[in-house]
Amino acid sequence: MSKNLSIVNKDLKEERDKINFNVEEFTNWFYGGAEKVKEKKYIENYFLSDKDLNLELDTSYLSYKDKYEEAVRRSIVVYKKLYKLHNEMGGTHEDFVKIMENLRFTMGAINPEGNPFVLHFSMFALTIMNMTNDEQKAEWLPRIFNCNILGTYAQTELGHGTYIQRLETTATYDPKTKEFTLNSPTLTSYKWWPGNLGHTVDHAIVMAQLYSQGKCHGIQPFIVQLRDSETHKPLPGIDIGDIGNKVGFQTVNNGFLGFKNVKVPYKNMLMKNSKLLEDGTFIKPKNAKLNYGTMVIIRVHMIIDAACRIAKATTIALRYSLVRRQSPINPNEIEPKIIEHITQQNKIFPGIAKAVVFKCMADYLTKLHLSITQEGNTGNLARMPELHALSCCLKAVCTNEDAKTVEVCRLSCGGHGFLRSAGLDDVYRNSTAAQTYEGENTVMLLQAARFLIKSFNEARNGGSLTEGVKYLFDFIGRNGKREIFDNSINGILRAIQAAAAGRTYIAWKHIEDDKRHNSIEVATNLAGVHLTKAAELHGYVCLLQVGIEEIEKIIRNVSPALGLVFKNILELFAVDLILNKIGDVIQHVDISNEDIEKLEKQMETLFKFFRTSAIGVVDGFDFSDPIIDSTLGSYDGNVYENLINAARKSPLNQEDVNRTFHLYIKPFMKSNL
Ligand SMILES: CCCCCCCCCCCCCCCC(=O)SCCNC(=O)CCNC(=O)[C@H](O)C(C)(C)COP(=O)(O)OP(=O)(O)OC[C@H]1O[C@@H](n2cnc3c(N)ncnc32)[C@H](O)[C@@H]1OP(=O)(O)O
Ligand SMILES: Cc1cc2nc3c(=O)[nH]c(=O)nc-3n(C[C@H](O)[C@H](O)[C@H](O)COP(=O)(O)OP(=O)(O)OC[C@H]3O[C@@H](n4cnc5c(N)ncnc54)[C@H](O)[C@@H]3O)c2cc1C
């Protein structure tokens, strides 16, 4: 994708002239190699250059209904092209995955308020791929990939989203007819939230309590047809619709769904894990949590989404900060670029470092997920709880940081950041949605804490620990003594580990003390605040540890100039982290006021070094102008021209005088009240 061809703002050009490393080399790392970058650019251009998409239309001014209809139209243009491109590329499964991965951000530019088909290609397809037996795969997968059917993942209900064990939808099996009957016995049992459900899809994976031979066997997944394949009318017994306006995700078409005696054939229960014999005998899976597998996959994917949203927001904030001038630092000098105000650097530079470290974590977690899934396929489920805990913890920490960072980027753009055309509002809406979907973040942290407490008990009893929590041994080994701080990257890591272990200990002790008067469950609830803090700190330990390991490897493989930039980024991430968590660190680490002052000074030095590299790094994230879609963040930096051009497109500016003047304002002004 070519950069904007207009003349680049001279302040921005001057910044780019000073970049002292190869930006392309950074881009190649970010996307996994030069070949992948080429593919990304090709795929982006292939879709975004299509005139049928009518990307000139600013959909943010449309009504709710028009937005949805335009999003469907645009998506179909894309998906038709996707299949054409897939065939041209060779038609393999790998080709399809390549296109889908690259489409993620392209789709964001095409449908900024969400994709009305996203669940079909993510949770619906993934569930069928991972939770079906061979016959079911043969029956459903071709229809899914040809889009002969469109589906979603319907789990959450009006009454329950988090505590899925208490979902109320029932699927009662009758061995005589070899059918399940689906019912929503209460209002609270209505499915509520599933994306694309309202008016787009005709099928869903429905999570329902299975009843057979008079017993409940817990929640199981079923493929259910919801709408007629010709007329798209809801099938008998199906009550379905859109849940209405939301904070964001306006075109995702989240829906509601109720069942009244809906018949589903025997073969539609997904049977890779749990099994139901035709006579109604239920066979338990090896681990009941296998049915939660799709959520784990998506949580893993959400780390890279968080990294990319931060990368996009910091690109906008930094480019703007390099062309915006405000408030002389020395009274007699010209107004500096706002980036010269050190508080502005403090707002933006740590965010850029987070995008890089989160990307390292996403790569690490993707590999870990693959290896644990392969073990699972051979029947070895031993590491599943570890993956569950890690994915919950990082999903929460990374999306919380993501929402916080995007908001700071908006604030760093002053008033103009509040404009829709600045491009930060959709990023923020998506970030904050991610804090809730696929597991509300507090709940995710509590799941991770459960693993930490178990590990802590294990460590106290001299048992063995997984690699990521071995630092608990160090804490126990210190026997109440505090970790001594040393100001190196590994010293910072040890300090955060000590804080995480110390907070785990406080939570553990809280539970142990309360257990004397309460049940373990009540005691655990009372320790909840400590538990979430411990899990959060553990998430930062993982990020820093993986960041150190991955960046050390990167430095060995890139040019010395880029290596220095990576070193700077890692230190920025680490020092920012310890300064932000200093309260927790002080509690468990022997760190002096002088050490803290040194860290604060170090941060200023890091900012100074990063000042010249920052623009190269954000350019290296390589968001083309249509993808960044921002008046403040375009490659050319011509923000004022962009702003006035965008304002002129406001529907109110298409006529000199709005009709409300004659209808209301003038009569009011003439009325003498
Ligand atoms: C090509 C691809 C493109 C992708 C591109 C992405 C685009 C993406 C766009 C998406 C667009 C929006 C999509 C939103 C989609 C929804 O939001 S779908 C709905 C998601 N819903 C949720 O996440 C609900 C959250 N709740 C839960 O996950 C579960 O209820 C909880 C919180 C884990 C608790 O489960 P529970 O059964 O009550 O378990 P509990 O009794 O607390 O026991 C926990 C035990 O289970 C274990 N456990 C729990 N879960 C698991 C698990 N999953 N595995 C292993 N063990 C587990 C724990 O380790 C623990 O073990 P122990 O300590 O007992 O040994
Ligand atoms: C944009 C969006 C898209 C979505 N898409 C889908 C979809 O496609 N398919 C689907 O099935 N669902 C979807 N969901 C639903 C989503 O997964 C749930 O909203 C989410 O899991 C949280 O559940 P809840 O709404 O029941 O929140 P609740 O659990 O009611 O949470 C409310 C509050 O209670 C607290 N709380 C709850 N349980 C505990 C606990 N055990 N300990 C401490 N605090 C607790 C929470 O921390 C929170 O503060 C979507 C949601 C959103 C916002």
Side-chain angles (χ1 to χ4, degrees):
M1 169 89 19
S2 62
K3 306 280 184 204
N4 189 328
L5 294 179
S6 56
I7 296 168
V8 171
N9 169 293
K10 76 170 179 27
D11 282 340
L12 204 44
K13 183 174 178 312
E14 171 190 276
E15 295 289 333
R16 292 198 173 108
D17 290 343
K18 285 191 231 150
I19 299 172
N20 50 11
F21 68 95
N22 184 340
V23 173
E24 211 177 303
E25 194 184 1
F26 179 84
T27 306
N28 291 344
W29 167 74
F30 195 71
Y31 291 94
E35 199 47 42
K36 289 234 164 106
V37 175
K38 217 166 105 194
E39 246 162 39
K40 171 193 97 82
K41 286 181 195 278
Y42 178 79
I43 290 172
E44 237 173 69
N45 192 37
Y46 180 85
F47 288 101
L48 292 175
S49 59
D50 192 319
K51 293 280 169 269
D52 285 350
L53 286 171
N54 190 20
L55 293 178
E56 295 302 305
L57 176 72
D58 183 345
T59 52
S60 69
Y61 288 117
L62 299 181
S63 72
Y64 182 68
K65 188 160 176 263
D66 290 344
K67 273 183 190 179
Y68 168 69
E69 290 171 2
E70 179 61 6
V72 170
R73 190 194 70 76
R74 286 183 180 184
S75 301
I76 297 296
V77 173
V78 171
Y79 290 125
K80 274 192 185 159
K81 285 186 74 114
L82 182 156
Y83 282 96
K84 190 164 166 269
L85 179 64
H86 183 224
N87 283 336
E88 282 167 19
M89 282 170 81
T92 66
H93 178 66
E94 287 70 34
D95 294 329
F96 194 81
V97 172
K98 254 184 227 169
I99 306 174
M100 287 307 279
E101 273 174 2
N102 283 304
L103 257 184
R104 188 181 284 184
F105 274 83
T106 310
M107 232 19 195
I110 294 167
N111 286 319
E113 295 187 63
N115 173 359
F117 297 89
V118 64
L119 271 291
H120 175 76
F121 289 104
S122 55
M123 293 196 82
F124 184 62
L126 287 168
T127 308
I128 305 275
M129 282 159 79
N130 294 314
M131 290 195 200
T132 44
N133 60 27
D134 291 344
E135 298 96 86
Q136 290 173 325
K137 276 195 185 66
E139 175 177 356
W140 294 101
L141 283 179
R143 297 168 73 193
I144 290 170
F145 286 115
N146 291 334
C147 294
N148 301 133
I149 61 169
L150 294 169
T152 185
Y153 183 85
Q155 179 173 289
T156 306
E157 296 174 355
L158 254 180
H160 290 97
T162 292
Y163 193 46
I164 48 190
Q165 288 189 44
R166 283 288 162 87
L167 293 177
E168 295 177 78
T169 306
T170 56
T172 309
Y173 182 63
D174 181 351
K176 284 196 228 87
T177 57
K178 302 211 176 357
E179 278 176 335
F180 299 94
T181 304
L182 263 67
N183 270 303
S184 309
T186 57
L187 174 61
T188 47
S189 70
Y190 261 56
K191 295 292 173 192
W192 188 273
W193 269 119
N196 317 163
L197 173 68
H199 291 267
T200 318
V201 300
D202 55 4
H203 280 71
I205 302 292
V206 174
M207 286 292 189
Q209 302 287 356
L210 168 66
Y211 283 85
S212 177
Q213 298 178 337
K215 274 206 227 129
C216 179
H217 301 286
I219 58 163
Q220 304 296 337
F222 299 86
I223 306 179
V224 184
Q225 180 165 359
L226 309 172
R227 290 176 177 272
D228 182 86
S229 23
E230 283 305 316
T231 63
H232 208 54
K233 286 252 187 222
L235 292 176
I238 303 270
D239 182 15
I240 192 168
D242 171 66
I243 61 171
N245 235 326
K246 291 150 290 185
V247 173
F249 268 42
Q250 302 301 25
T251 51
V252 174
N253 195 217
N254 299 84
F256 67 80
L257 168 65
F259 300 99
K260 194 165 179 199
N261 293 326
V262 173
K263 303 289 178 197
V264 173
Y266 168 78
K267 65 184 175 59
N268 283 25
M269 178 176 144
L270 305 196
M271 296 237 197
K272 180 172 172 198
N273 304 319
S274 314
K275 288 185 181 50
L276 190 76
L277 303 184
E278 289 197 18
D279 69 358
T281 309
F282 180 73
I283 300 174
K284 277 189 184 167
K286 239 181 152 176
N287 180 333
K289 309 301 180 198
L290 283 166
N291 277 340
Y292 299 176
T294 310
M295 291 185 277
V296 179
I297 304 177
I298 299 292
R299 286 173 195 146
V300 168
H301 274 279
M302 286 172 76
I303 316 299
I304 188 66
D305 286 349
C308 288
R309 278 190 295 265
I310 296 177
K312 185 171 170 178
T314 51
T315 302
I316 296 171
L318 183 74
R319 286 184 181 162
Y320 179 64
S321 299
L322 294 174
V323 301
R324 176 76 164 177
R325 287 177 175 274
Q326 194 93 214
S327 314
I329 291 170
N330 282 317
N332 300 327
E333 285 171 11
I334 59 160
E335 287 179 293
K337 299 170 182 172
I338 53 174
I339 199 69
E340 305 306 354
H341 298 288
I342 193 146
T343 46
Q344 190 74 0
Q345 299 180 18
N346 192 39
K347 283 178 194 150
I348 302 170
F349 292 173
I352 300 175
K354 280 173 203 163
V356 172
V357 172
F358 288 13
K359 155 78 179 149
C360 293
M361 179 46 94
D363 289 348
Y364 169 84
L365 208 54
T366 306
K367 277 185 233 144
L368 185 75
H369 177 253
L370 189 71
S371 94
I372 295 182
T373 310
Q374 277 164 353
E375 284 171 17
N377 289 340
T378 63
N380 174 3
L381 305 178
R383 292 210 292 159
M384 242 177 65
E386 177 194 349
L387 176 66
H388 165 63
L390 197 56
S391 60
C392 285
C393 187
L394 288 159
K395 181 273 187 195
V397 170
C398 293
T399 58
N400 282 347
E401 277 290 352
D402 165 23
K404 225 168 29 186
T405 309
V406 173
E407 177 62 355
V408 169
C409 285
R410 181 188 73 77
L411 295 170
S412 79
C413 294
H416 298 333
F418 198 63
L419 285 164
R420 211 234 128 241
S421 75
L424 289 161
D425 71 333
D426 286 327
V427 190
Y428 179 70
R429 287 165 205 274
N430 292 340
S431 302
T432 191
Q435 292 178 289
T436 306
Y437 69 67
E438 220 53 85
E440 194 280 328
N441 278 356
T442 304
V443 174
M444 294 292 96
L445 289 173
L446 288 170
Q447 283 291 310
R450 194 176 163 117
F451 182 76
L452 278 180
I453 293 292
K454 263 190 166 180
S455 303
F456 191 79
N457 273 320
E458 194 68 25
R460 284 188 74 247
N461 298 327
S464 65
L465 293 185
T466 56
E467 205 49 46
V469 285
K470 284 214 166 122
Y471 64 86
L472 294 175
F473 280 136
D474 302 337
F475 177 85
I476 288 168
R478 279 195 299 276
N479 213 2
K481 285 211 197 88
R482 285 139 63 99
E483 165 77 28
I484 300 190
F485 182 68
D486 87 81
N487 188 1
S488 63
I489 281 285
N490 283 314
I492 294 176
L493 174 61
R494 281 193 299 275
I496 304 291
Q497 285 174 332
R503 183 58 71 176
T504 305
Y505 167 70
I506 292 172
W508 173 85
K509 190 161 176 317
H510 202 298
I511 297 171
E512 291 299 309
D513 289 348
D514 271 319
K515 252 175 30 184
R516 288 196 225 116
H517 323 286
N518 291 304
S519 67
I520 172 85
E521 291 80 7
V522 170
T524 305
N525 180 45
L526 291 172
V529 174
H530 299 295
L531 287 167
T532 51
K533 283 187 180 165
E536 197 188 42
L537 284 162
H538 174 64
Y540 290 115
V541 166
C542 300
L543 283 162
L544 185 54
Q545 197 160 355
V546 167
I548 292 172
E549 283 163 17
E550 294 293 307
I551 289 181
E552 275 174 2
K553 276 188 234 155
I554 295 166
I555 291 175
R556 284 199 291 276
N557 288 308
V558 297
S559 62
L562 182 58
L564 279 179
V565 176
F566 270 106
K567 183 169 174 287
N568 190 206
I569 286 175
L570 179 62
E571 286 174 10
L572 260 176
F573 180 81
V575 179
D576 177 65
L577 174 60
I578 192 166
L579 287 175
N580 274 311
K581 295 290 163 203
I582 204 71
D584 294 288
V585 169
I586 285 173
Q587 242 181 315
H588 303 285
V589 178
D590 201 349
I591 184 170
S592 64
N593 285 351
E594 291 74 44
D595 288 327
I596 298 172
E597 276 167 34
K598 256 194 220 157
L599 285 166
E600 285 163 348
K601 273 261 165 273
Q602 192 183 349
M603 196 67 173
E604 288 163 24
T605 313
L606 290 167
F607 285 168
K608 214 182 228 170
F609 184 87
F610 198 58
R611 172 69 183 80
T612 42
S613 329
I615 183 65
V617 175
V618 301
D619 282 354
F621 290 143
D622 202 47
F623 293 113
S624 63
D625 279 352
I627 300 261
I628 207 110
D629 192 22
S630 165
T631 45
L632 306 185
S634 63
Y635 185 82
D636 64 15
N638 292 325
V639 295
Y640 299 115
E641 293 81 351
N642 294 342
L643 284 168
I644 190 85
N645 289 340
R648 288 198 199 288
K649 288 184 189 154
S650 160
L652 285 177
N653 293 335
Q654 306 317 304
E655 53 197 2
D656 280 350
V657 177
N658 180 264
R659 66 196 180 101
T660 54
F661 178 74
H662 294 292
L663 269 175
Y664 310 117
I665 302 174
K666 189 171 172 190
F668 173 69
M669 291 169 75
K670 299 278 177 201
S671 68
N672 293 327
L673 299 172

